[in-house]
Amino acid sequence: MSSLSSSRTMKAVVFILSTVLLAHFTAVQGRNHAFETNNWKHRSRMPDNHHRRAMELEEVQKPQGDEKCPCLTYEQMNDDDSKFPAKLIEGLVWETASGGVWGADTYGLGCDYHDNDRGNCTSATCATEVPLPNNCDFSWCTRAFCYVDPNNCSLLNRPSPLFQNRFYSYATCGFMDSFTSHDRLSSLARRTFRVGFNANSGGWKGAYNRDGSFSTNDQWSGPMVDFIEQAAREGDFNLQITAPPDWLRNESKKFFGGSSFDYCVYATALGYLDLCVSSYTITDKRASVTPFFETYSDPIYLVTKVEDSSSNWEKFLQSFKTIFQPFTPQAWLLIWLFVLPILSLCMLFHERHTPGSVFPTTSPVLRVNKETGSKVIDHKKIPLRTHIGNSLYTTVLSLFTEYDQSVVSLGGKINVIALVSFNLTILTVYTANLAAILTQEYQVSTIHNLDDAIKAGYNFCAERKVAELVTTLHKVDIDKIVIDPVDLGGDGKPGFNCPKCQSRDRVFDYIRTEHSNASLYCNAAFASLEDLEVLQNNGAHCNKKIVGNSLAYQSLGFPIFDKEADGLVSLLYSVKYNGAIDRYLGSAEPENRCPAPSDNEGNSLTIQQLTGVWVLTFTLAFVGIVTTLVERYKHKKARKNDKEIVVNLRKVDQWGNPASHDIVVDGHRFDPGEFTLEPLSRSKSLERDCRIMSSRSLLNVNTSSSPTKSPKKSSKFYPRASSVLSKTRESTDEIDDYDSSDSGRC
């Protein structure tokens, strides 16, 4: 019995061992077969609760990875001579949430959610939200990846933080490397970064310190300083202000040039600094040596000087033409050669041959015989051309003052309405337009864009990096760019780059509308709007303005050490897109302090702006003087040559109305009523009494019972006599002792 039981026991043991070996062999063969047929899934080894969660995840599209970067096979991962051994990095323990240890032979095999049962992934509810929240630290839990051969992968792959000599790729499975993204940001916390600060020489968007670049004090200010401090607070890291080593400056100068900004970029590229903070123009050469974080873009414009480039004579003519600018030349010709002459001829047509008008057919004259000395008062016919000239003169005069000519005909009165309405309209429009022209800043520029400047033969001032950008994008000859001044430390090449010449201000300082030294001065400049804004905020360069549209945009940013770029760039863009840069730039934007015309009051006019007024006024005054001298010369010549002297006894004012004063010839007063010459008394008192008495007599003509011809003659030659003589009516009341006996002495 004992031998039989022993035999049965041995058979049972052999059966059990055979069954176990067969099961193991079958499992291995089945597993390898699953790998070969791309049906292997490690979810079968997960606990039930995680298996259910994993089943909710989408099937990966390429279980063995993309053909550009295939996943490692089971043999590659587990062969004894494999280049990718499953050897954990020393000190790491890899456990599942249930306490088991993952098999290194299958973790990372094929595209799958290998981290779904790892660590905190079991409690990371945000990992399964769609779309994935930006602040989810566990999004890698639901991202598929596999291990790859870096030499056989053209897609993004990185060294594994768990196993030596292994490289993982989310990209080959079609997923973002979110594990690295989270790792980048978390790697910044509680660290200290070496920062070099450059002081911008211009603009207002950068970093500034009165002690200059690389100062280690706490006096740094500006939007970029505020931004990097905000990033440090959000990233939980410290900034250590550090200056690059002095001995490195010469090497930087050999590679870049003498700019302190290039010097900081050079030091960052080599790792002496972790980043530099200021507004750095991102050039192709700078970007080729180290990564950059782009802060903002600044537009480049063509800048010209607000000044007329014409000669002094041309400026004089332009100023003179100012008073004629309210109307076009065609409008002026219509006014002066058609409207006013027609209205004046119409007035002459209505008033001539009308009794009592200012256009009589004859005029009283005194004829003096030079041989006998006899004097005869006679009538002389007035030529039509004289009336035409007088009518045109009074019509033009009505433009500048109230129309005061006596009009007696009905047609003439209607014509006056037409003339006055025309004058009122013309003067109103002219005054409004002239006021607008004279009170505004007179800025005439024939340059409206870059093409106009090139055609005009302009040369240009610009910083070197700006010059390189504009000449690359536009058809600008590099020889038209003013060279870097050698006497200030420059290299003599096109574009300002000298460290001691304040390049950003020099661009504006050396603009001249006219110059003869193209190596020093320029007609216009290529500059950033930022630079012009900060200068005009200080009330400087107010005579500079941008012309046309932006020529280019220059990108500005921070240079960052390559080994620190991943984490810093990710954080800086996160802070930027939260609006930090826009907020700091908005609060620092400068105000333009250049004087501008007020909306309510006009500016004071200059002498030059009133040139047309001076010239026109004194030209007319000069013509008047010449006319008087010519008349006197002709009168003097006639007295010498003619046998008879003819003196016109009809004197009228500027409106053609008879003059209100007496007409005296050689001590005799002409009496238009009696048509005679009467001698004047030497006694002033008697002369006054006689004048008053004569006025009284004229005023009493209409009430006299005896008909005379005097009133008719007086009315004919002096239609306004009654109004003039009425002014002396009150004076006659003062003479109570005047009697008829004194009339003989008058």
Side-chain angles (χ1 to χ4, degrees), residues 170-183:
Y170 284 88
T172 191
C173 301
F175 289 85
M176 293 294 296
D177 188 358
S178 57
F179 173 77
T180 303
S181 175
H182 167 68
D183 188 61

Side-chain angles (χ1 to χ4, degrees), residues 53 56-57 116 124-133 136 138-139 142:
R53 221 184 81 187
E56 297 173 0
L57 300 175
N116 201 26
T125 57
C126 69
T128 56
E129 294 182 20
V130 178
L132 186 71
C136 183
F138 302 99
S139 61
T142 55

Side-chain angles (χ1 to χ4, degrees), residues 247-546:
W247 65 269
L248 203 61
R249 189 181 296 273
N250 290 333
E251 300 303 323
S252 172
K253 188 174 182 180
K254 294 176 184 178
F255 186 83
F256 278 120
S259 169
S260 64
F261 286 78
D262 289 330
Y263 174 37
C264 199
V265 173
Y266 190 82
T268 302
L270 299 183
Y272 291 96
L273 298 173
D274 293 315
L275 74 158
C276 293
V277 173
S278 192
S279 288
Y280 295 86
T281 302
I282 305 176
T283 64
D284 54 349
K285 190 171 185 179
R286 288 177 176 177
S288 67
V289 298
T290 194
F292 270 82
F293 161 70
E294 185 177 346
T295 52
Y296 63 93
S297 296
D298 198 39
I300 303 298
Y301 286 95
L302 175 66
V303 179
T304 61
K305 188 174 183 180
V306 182
E307 183 178 85
D308 192 357
S309 60
S310 58
S311 64
N312 291 332
W313 172 247
E314 291 173 336
K315 292 178 182 178
F316 171 78
L317 289 179
Q318 185 61 47
S319 298
F320 173 71
K321 293 177 183 178
T322 301
I323 62 171
F324 300 105
Q325 288 181 353
F327 298 132
T328 63
Q330 294 81 358
W332 282 118
L333 291 175
L334 180 67
I335 293 172
W336 291 102
L337 299 183
F338 180 78
V339 178
L340 294 180
I342 292 298
L343 290 176
S344 66
L345 290 176
C346 289
M347 183 61 70
L348 180 61
F349 170 77
H350 294 304
E351 291 293 295
R352 196 170 184 234
H353 301 299
T354 301
S357 74
V358 296
F359 300 108
T361 56
T362 61
S363 173
V365 295
L366 175 65
R367 301 182 183 276
V368 181
N369 192 304
K370 295 173 62 177
E371 297 179 353
T372 62
S374 62
K375 301 177 181 178
V376 178
I377 297 177
D378 194 7
H379 289 278
K380 181 180 179 181
K381 186 177 180 180
I382 301 177
L384 179 61
R385 64 176 181 275
T386 301
H387 285 316
I388 293 176
N390 291 337
S391 180
L392 182 59
Y393 170 79
T394 55
T395 301
V396 173
L397 185 62
S398 66
L399 279 172
F400 307 100
T401 185
E402 179 184 358
Y403 190 85
D404 198 24
Q405 189 179 60
S406 297
V407 179
V408 295
S409 67
L410 179 60
K413 293 176 181 179
I414 297 176
N415 193 75
V416 168
I417 297 176
L419 178 61
V420 171
S421 62
F422 173 77
N423 290 348
L424 179 63
T425 303
I426 291 298
L427 289 176
T428 302
V429 174
Y430 176 84
T431 303
N433 287 353
L434 183 62
I437 293 171
L438 291 178
T439 55
Q440 68 183 356
E441 183 71 19
Y442 191 67
Q443 300 180 1
V444 176
S445 175
T446 58
I447 305 300
H448 303 290
N449 49 50
L450 180 58
D451 291 337
D452 291 342
I454 294 174
K455 292 177 182 178
Y458 274 22
N459 68 326
F460 307 95
C461 295
E463 287 187 275
R464 179 161 301 169
K465 57 182 180 292
V466 174
E468 292 173 350
L469 179 61
V470 174
T471 54
T472 301
L473 297 176
H474 301 275
K475 297 179 180 179
V476 180
D477 188 354
I478 193 65
D479 294 333
K480 290 293 185 178
I481 306 298
V482 178
I483 62 174
D484 199 22
V486 178
D487 55 336
L488 295 177
D491 55 13
K493 296 180 181 179
F496 300 149
N497 197 40
C498 46
K500 298 181 180 179
C501 66
Q502 295 294 315
S503 299
R504 298 179 77 163
D505 290 345
R506 185 181 181 87
V507 167
F508 302 98
D509 292 338
Y510 283 78
I511 297 179
R512 302 288 188 275
T513 50
E514 292 182 348
H515 64 82
S516 58
N517 188 354
S519 64
L520 181 63
Y521 300 108
C522 56
N523 304 110
F526 302 136
S528 69
L529 177 62
E530 174 191 0
D531 289 341
L532 185 59
E533 287 175 337
V534 74
L535 290 171
Q536 293 186 342
N537 171 252
N538 297 323
H541 293 285
C542 294
N543 60 346
K544 308 297 190 307
K545 67 174 183 178
I546 61 174

Side-chain angles (χ1 to χ4, degrees), residues 194-208:
R194 301 159 299 168
V195 183
F197 283 92
N198 265 121
N200 287 109
S201 58
W204 55 272
K205 300 179 181 179
Y208 306 94

Side-chain angles (χ1 to χ4, degrees), residues 602-642:
N603 291 336
S604 300
L605 302 181
T606 64
I607 294 177
Q608 182 177 355
Q609 287 178 308
L610 294 176
T611 298
V613 178
W614 312 136
V615 173
L616 183 61
T617 300
F618 288 104
T619 298
L620 294 176
F622 178 75
V623 171
I625 293 174
V626 172
T627 302
T628 300
L629 293 177
V630 170
E631 286 184 345
R632 289 180 179 179
Y633 173 76
K634 291 172 62 177
H635 183 66
K636 184 177 181 181
K637 184 178 180 181
R639 287 198 173 193
K640 289 183 178 180
N641 300 330
D642 297 344

